[in-house]
Amino acid sequence: MSEMKKIKNLKEFSTSADRFEGANLLCPGCAHSIIVREVLNATNDDLVLSASTGCLEVCTAVYPYTSWDASWIHIGFENGSTAVAGAEAMYNALKKKGRLKQPERNPKFISFAGDGASYDIGFQWISGCFERGHNIMHVVLDNEVYANTGGQRSSSTPIGGSNTTTPAGTHSYGEKQNKKDMMAIMAAHGGPYVAQVSPNKWKDMVKKIQHGFSVDGPVFINAASQCCTEWKFDPKDTMHLADLSTDTLAWPLYEIIDGKELNITYRPKNVIPVEEYLAAQGRFKHLFKDEYKYLIKEWQERVDSNWAYLNRREEARV
Amino acid sequence: MANTGWDEFEIGAMLRSFDGKIDDIAGTLQEDRAYSQNNSFVASVADWRIEKPVFNKDFCIDCQFCWIYCPDISIISRDKKMIGVDMDHCKGCGICVEVCPTNPKSLLMFPEHADEEAELAKWPEKDEEKK
Ligand code: SF4
Ligand code: SF4
C-alpha cells in the first residue's frame, strides 16, 4: 500500500502536477474537467482510467490527440466500468503469479462516466462490478442530461427540467419523472463506500476520493457536474451554480459506509431556498410562470423531505 | 503515429502521451515533460476565446481558488504561487475571475484584443462598498 498523498490545504494541493491536459474540447466552463482534476490530483499513484461514451470521452480523445497522461481506455457507452474492472482483475492475477515488473506500485483503477452511462445505459455493468467486488472507483459526472448528444433526458434528469425530449411548453412543464436515487441503489449493493460530491467543495471531494482509494472493494462516487450548455447559464457561473446546489440542499453532500452508515458531510450555515437554484438556470425558466409555480413549492418539499430522510438515517446508523 | 490516418491503425495501436520513458508523471511538472505530438497539451484552443483573463499580481494573495476551479488547467501555479495564465489552453470561461476573492480582483476579463499592459495600468481601485 503506497502512502496517501498529503493535502492539508489548497496551497499544498496546487503543487500537484496535473495528469489531465488542456486543449481538450469540453465547453468553456464545463465542470467535468474540474471534477476530473480534483479526483486525479488526490493521488500520486499510477492511474488506470476509462471513460464511457459521453462528453468527457468524446472531448478528450479526438484523434490525433489525447488529454490523458495515464493509461486510458474507451470501449462503448455502457462498459467503461467493466473495462477498468477487467484491468484490475488482470493486475491481480499477474500480481499473484509474481509477474508484475514493479509490484510495489499501487495503481488506482477509476472509471468515469456520465449519468446517461451510469444511471441508464451502463447500469447493469456497474451493478455487476459491484457484485463481483472489484477494487475500482466509478465516478459519475452527473449533469442530469445526455449533453453530448443534444440534451435528451436521462433517468437522472430532475422534475420540471426542459430538455429536448421533454420540452416545456403550453402542454407540459418538461420532465415528469423524478431523479433516480442512485446513491441508495448503489449503497444497497453493499460496497464499502458510496459518496456524493460537488466540485465547489474540493476538500470534501478530496477526502472522499482518498477514503475511496483506501478501502478494499468497489467505490461509487456521484459528482454533481454543473452543465452551462444544457442547464443554460453563463459559463463563468459554474461554481456559483455548484454553491447554490449544495447550499439549497438540492445536492446534499453525504457518504454511506458499508451500505449502512450514512454521514452527512456538509451542513450549510444558511440554507438557501431551492427557488434560487432553479432561477439561476434556463432549463427551469418556465417554472416561474403562474401556471407552473406550484412545481417550485413541490421542489422545495422534495428537497426538505430528502434532507429530513438523510438526517434520520444518519442518526439511526442504518 | 501522429501522421497516421484514424482508419489506418493496426489492431493494438496505442497513442502515447509522452515521447520516451517517463516514470513519475505525478512528480513531473508540465515544463519538464516530453509531450508527444499526440498530447492535446501541444494543441491550442486560444481561438475559442472572445474574452481573456488578465492577471494582476499586485493584489493576488495566492489563495489558489483560480487554480482549483479553472476547468482547463490554465492557471499556472508553482511553489504555491499563482504565476500566470496559460493562454494556449484558456478558453475564456471567466470562472477564475468569479472565484477570485481579492478586492479589487486580481483577475479580470477583457476583450481578446485588449492590450494587457494598458489594462494593468488602469486597474480598478478597491471597491469600498464591498467588505
Ligand atoms: S478564463 Fe476559464 S479557462 Fe481561462 S484561466 Fe480563467 S478559469 Fe481557466
Ligand atoms: S483566485 Fe485571485 S487571489 Fe487567489 S490565487 Fe487566483 S488570482 Fe490570486
Side-chain angles (χ1 to χ4, degrees), chain A residues 85-104:
Chain A
E88 184 257 2
M90 181 188 72
Y91 178 85
N92 287 335
L94 292 175
K95 194 173 190 171
K96 223 167 154 183
K97 290 182 183 157
R99 281 172 53 196
L100 287 177
K101 284 198 187 116
Q102 295 174 298
E104 73 287 358

Side-chain angles (χ1 to χ4, degrees), chain A residues 4-39:
Chain A
M4 199 63 79
K5 179 170 172 180
K6 287 198 183 61
I7 303 164
K8 279 207 303 289
N9 51 43
L10 195 45
K11 282 191 189 213
E12 198 169 334
F13 200 25
S14 76
T15 61
S16 306
D18 274 286
R19 283 179 281 177
F20 182 68
E21 299 291 352
N24 57 61
L25 303 185
L26 290 161
C27 299
C30 175
H32 275 16
S33 45
I34 307 176
I35 297 162
V36 168
R37 291 186 56 222
E38 289 178 7
V39 171

Side-chain angles (χ1 to χ4, degrees), chain A residues 64-283:
Chain A
Y65 297 122
T66 172
S67 301
W68 302 87
D69 301 336
S71 311
W72 183 88
I73 189 170
H74 159 69
I75 302 175
F77 213 134
E78 68 286 9
N79 51 15
S81 56
T82 311
V84 154
E88 184 257 2
M90 181 188 72
Y91 178 85
N92 287 335
L94 292 175
K95 194 173 190 171
K96 223 167 154 183
K97 290 182 183 157
R99 281 172 53 196
L100 287 177
K101 284 198 187 116
Q102 295 174 298
E104 73 287 358
R105 295 180 89 120
N106 186 30
K108 302 289 178 276
F109 297 87
I110 311 171
S111 144
F112 288 104
D115 49 292
S118 302
Y119 286 58
D120 299 345
I121 299 172
F123 177 70
Q124 174 196 139
W125 306 64
I126 302 168
S127 181
C129 288
F130 270 66
E131 181 262 317
R132 293 189 302 273
H134 292 280
N135 206 359
I136 64 166
M137 178 181 285
H138 183 84
V139 181
V140 185
L141 303 156
D142 188 356
N143 57 10
E144 306 186 325
V145 68
Y146 285 87
N148 171 40
T149 47
Q152 296 83 1
R153 56 84 66 185
S154 77
S155 62
S156 169
T157 304
I159 291 183
S162 182
N163 307 279
T164 49
T165 48
T166 52
T170 47
H171 289 71
S172 171
Y173 56 76
E175 172 69 19
K176 299 214 165 48
Q177 274 81 34
N178 201 7
K179 186 182 172 81
K180 195 192 256 184
D181 187 353
M182 267 300 264
M183 286 287 288
I185 295 168
M186 294 320 293
H189 282 72
Y193 196 58
V194 167
Q196 187 147 286
V197 297
S198 182
N200 54 325
K201 301 293 175 199
W202 70 268
K203 216 171 186 170
D204 178 77
M205 167 97 74
V206 166
K207 213 173 144 197
K208 286 172 177 164
I209 298 299
Q210 292 196 331
H211 183 77
F213 288 151
S214 76
V215 299
D216 205 14
V219 170
F220 181 81
I221 302 285
N222 209 29
S225 189
Q226 299 74 22
C227 173
C228 47
T229 304
E230 294 299 339
W231 297 12
K232 307 211 172 5
F233 61 84
D234 192 322
K236 75 175 176 17
D237 291 328
T238 303
M239 283 303 110
H240 178 55
L241 257 295
D243 286 342
L244 283 174
S245 75
T246 52
D247 288 25
T248 56
L249 299 173
W251 189 270
L253 300 180
Y254 62 102
E255 59 187 12
I256 305 171
I257 294 168
D258 295 331
K260 292 192 284 289
E261 279 177 47
L262 187 148
N263 301 311
I264 292 170
T265 58
Y266 172 64
R267 292 176 184 277
K269 275 195 207 85
N270 304 306
V271 177
I272 303 170
V274 78
E275 185 172 345
E276 290 189 30
Y277 173 63
L278 302 175
Q281 306 170 56
R283 64 173 170 159

Side-chain angles (χ1 to χ4, degrees), chain B residues 81-92:
Chain B
K81 297 233 175 318
M82 149 63 167
I83 56 174
V85 182
D86 174 347
M87 295 314 275
D88 284 332
H89 299 140
C90 167
K91 292 172 185 158

Side-chain angles (χ1 to χ4, degrees), chain B residues 70-85:
Chain B
C70 169
D72 287 291
I73 315 100
S74 298
I75 298 292
I76 309 171
S77 291
R78 294 293 179 265
D79 298 327
K80 306 185 183 177
K81 297 233 175 318
M82 149 63 167
I83 56 174
V85 182

